[in-house]
């Protein structure tokens, strides 16, 4: 598929191109796309026309935009597709559930509609990895490899009740309607704090321009509402993941994690992919922002660029 082949709908999000409309390098290489699946209009960015699709799934309080610094370097031989997760970023509409099998179904169907029914290389961070796990276990013929970053796959050796105490935000997002009532209109305050805490405290781990784009996206109607429900669905995800682990994954899987978390996160993935490999990065949680070159190198090595 080339950019000229891509047909797209009129966007429901009027601000989707706020960060890219005045970026000539982006305009020359990438294009925004919109496709409605059931009651949700999915937003994605696509570039290149190489024979191998590589799909990028962001984490919670990020959007597709976090991948932009490395997307051009991923183009040789590839078509690069960065997707706003269902209900987040500039994906717009209603969802019947926030369990990751349901959310993965939207990504799977989007890729099918775009013509990427097989041979897909998958890269994910944080909550995007919960969706990615459902993708590679539910639609095994669609994917040829997976690299995931800093996310605990529960259901085997790792349980949600072990993960929940790792950070304040797991419990905070369960408090409804308190979470949304407290954060509404204060998205910048919350996100700025959250980014700093998850980076280890201290400096903001991304540029002010990236922060502005994330604030815009998460101040959109329902974005933080959906994000909080991603967390509330973890008990169901644990049940679904346990069932999926009964059939081992055969594709190559590689895990990047913060050093203190690597052993437990890697073992959790090996419950599903016994041959999975892993490496620690000397970063906080926001690896794409804190060490983009290291992430890019790991992706290229894993997929044999």
């Amino acid at each position: 598929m080339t950019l000229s082949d891509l047909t797209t709908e009129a966007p429901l999000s009027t601000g989707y191109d706020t960060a890219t409309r005045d970026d000539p390098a982006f305009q020359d290489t990438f294009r925004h796309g919109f496709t409605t699946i059931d009651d949700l209009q999915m937003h994605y960015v696509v570039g290149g026309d190489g024979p191998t699709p590589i799909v990028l799934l962001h984490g919670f309080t990020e959007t597709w935009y976090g991948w932009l610094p490395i997307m051009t370097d991923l183009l040789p031989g590839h078509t690069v597709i960065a997707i706003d997760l269902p209900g987040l970023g500039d994906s717009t509409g209603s969802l019947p559930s926030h369990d990751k099998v349901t959310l993965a179904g939207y990504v799977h169907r989007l890729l099918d509609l775009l013509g990427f029914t097989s041979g897909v290389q998958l890269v994910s961070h944080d909550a995007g990895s919960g969706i990615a796990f459902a993708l590679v276990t539910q639609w095994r013929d669609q994917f040829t490899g997976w690299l995931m970053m800093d996310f605990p796959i529960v259901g085997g050796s790792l349980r949600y009740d072990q993960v929940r105490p790792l950070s304040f935000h797991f419990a905070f997002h369960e408090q409804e309607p308190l979470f949304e009532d407290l954060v509404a209109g204060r998205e910048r305050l919350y996100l700025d704090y959250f980014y700093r805490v998850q980076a280890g405290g201290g400096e903001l781990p991304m540029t002010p321009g990236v922060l502005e784009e994330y604030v815009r996206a998460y101040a959109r109607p329902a974005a933080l509402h959906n994000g909080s429900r991603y967390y509330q669905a973890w008990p169901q995800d644990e049940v679904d993941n346990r069932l999926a682990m009964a059939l081992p994954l055969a594709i190559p899987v590689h895990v990047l994690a913060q050093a203190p978390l690597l052993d437990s996160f890697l073992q959790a993935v090996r419950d599903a992919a016994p041959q999975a490999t892993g490496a620690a990065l000397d970063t906080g949680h926001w690896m794409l922002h804190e060490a983009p070159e290291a992430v890019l190198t790991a992706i290229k090595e894993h997929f044999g660029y």
Side-chain angles (χ1 to χ4, degrees):
M1 187 184 76
T2 66
L3 293 183
S4 60
D5 296 326
L6 177 64
T7 58
T8 186
E9 305 168 0
L12 297 176
S13 171
T14 57
Y16 72 93
D17 62 347
T18 300
T20 60
R21 67 171 67 108
D22 297 322
D23 182 348
F26 175 89
Q27 300 294 338
D28 288 344
T29 310
F30 298 102
R31 180 175 170 184
H32 293 275
F34 298 86
T35 297
T36 295
I37 298 169
D38 296 336
D39 296 320
L40 181 75
Q41 186 183 71
M42 294 285 290
H43 171 239
Y44 51 94
V45 170
V46 61
D49 57 4
T52 302
I54 185 164
V55 171
L56 311 174
L57 301 180
H58 64 84
F60 174 66
T61 69
E62 297 170 297
T63 69
W64 79 269
Y65 190 65
W67 299 104
L68 185 57
I70 69 170
M71 285 171 64
T72 299
D73 289 312
L74 293 175
L75 286 172
H78 288 72
T79 300
V80 178
I81 312 101
I83 299 173
D84 271 342
L85 300 184
L88 304 184
D90 289 286
S91 292
T92 305
S94 60
L95 294 164
S97 173
H98 294 79
D99 69 85
K100 305 313 171 290
V101 172
T102 296
L103 299 181
Y106 288 88
V107 177
H108 161 69
R109 291 168 64 188
L110 173 64
L111 295 177
D112 274 0
L113 289 170
L114 294 177
F116 304 124
T117 58
S118 63
V120 176
Q121 298 173 345
L122 186 61
V123 184
S124 61
H125 179 232
D126 187 75
S129 295
I131 292 174
F133 181 78
L135 284 167
V136 299
T137 56
Q138 299 296 318
W139 295 279
R140 294 173 183 246
D141 293 338
Q142 193 164 26
F143 301 94
T144 58
W146 176 31
L147 184 145
M148 62 163 287
M149 294 188 288
D150 218 42
F151 186 79
I153 300 295
V154 298
S157 60
L158 196 58
R159 305 184 310 275
Y160 180 56
D161 61 6
Q162 295 172 292
V163 172
R164 191 172 180 267
L166 291 177
S167 174
F168 78 95
H169 70 284
F170 288 95
F172 186 34
H173 283 261
E174 293 172 1
Q175 309 308 312
E176 292 293 346
L178 181 65
F179 166 75
E180 290 184 58
D181 289 346
L182 289 177
V183 176
R186 303 179 183 90
E187 291 86 3
R188 183 188 309 279
L189 175 67
Y190 178 63
L191 292 175
D192 184 279
Y193 177 79
F194 187 60
Y195 295 137
R196 293 175 192 269
V197 167
Q198 297 300 318
E203 296 296 320
L204 187 70
M206 67 273 296
T207 67
V210 173
L211 173 62
E212 290 302 314
E213 173 60 9
Y214 287 166
V215 169
R216 179 201 67 79
Y218 280 91
R220 295 189 65 235
L224 281 174
H225 169 88
N226 286 321
S228 68
R229 279 155 178 75
Y230 272 51
Y231 286 85
Q232 293 169 32
W234 275 67
Q236 182 60 51
D237 298 336
E238 183 170 352
V239 173
D240 294 337
N241 292 351
R242 186 176 298 114
L243 292 173
M245 289 174 180
L247 179 62
L249 283 169
I251 60 172
V253 178
H254 188 65
V255 177
L256 298 180
Q258 301 172 66
L261 300 174
L262 176 61
D263 288 347
S264 61
F265 284 11
L266 178 56
Q267 182 54 54
V269 173
R270 284 178 172 165
D271 294 330
Q275 303 305 312
T277 58
L281 292 188
D282 186 20
T283 67
H285 179 62
W286 312 105
M287 296 176 168
L288 274 171
H289 302 292
E290 298 175 67
E293 290 301 322
V295 170
L296 178 63
T297 296
I299 293 171
K300 287 187 171 183
E301 289 179 350
H302 183 60
F303 292 112
Y305 270 73

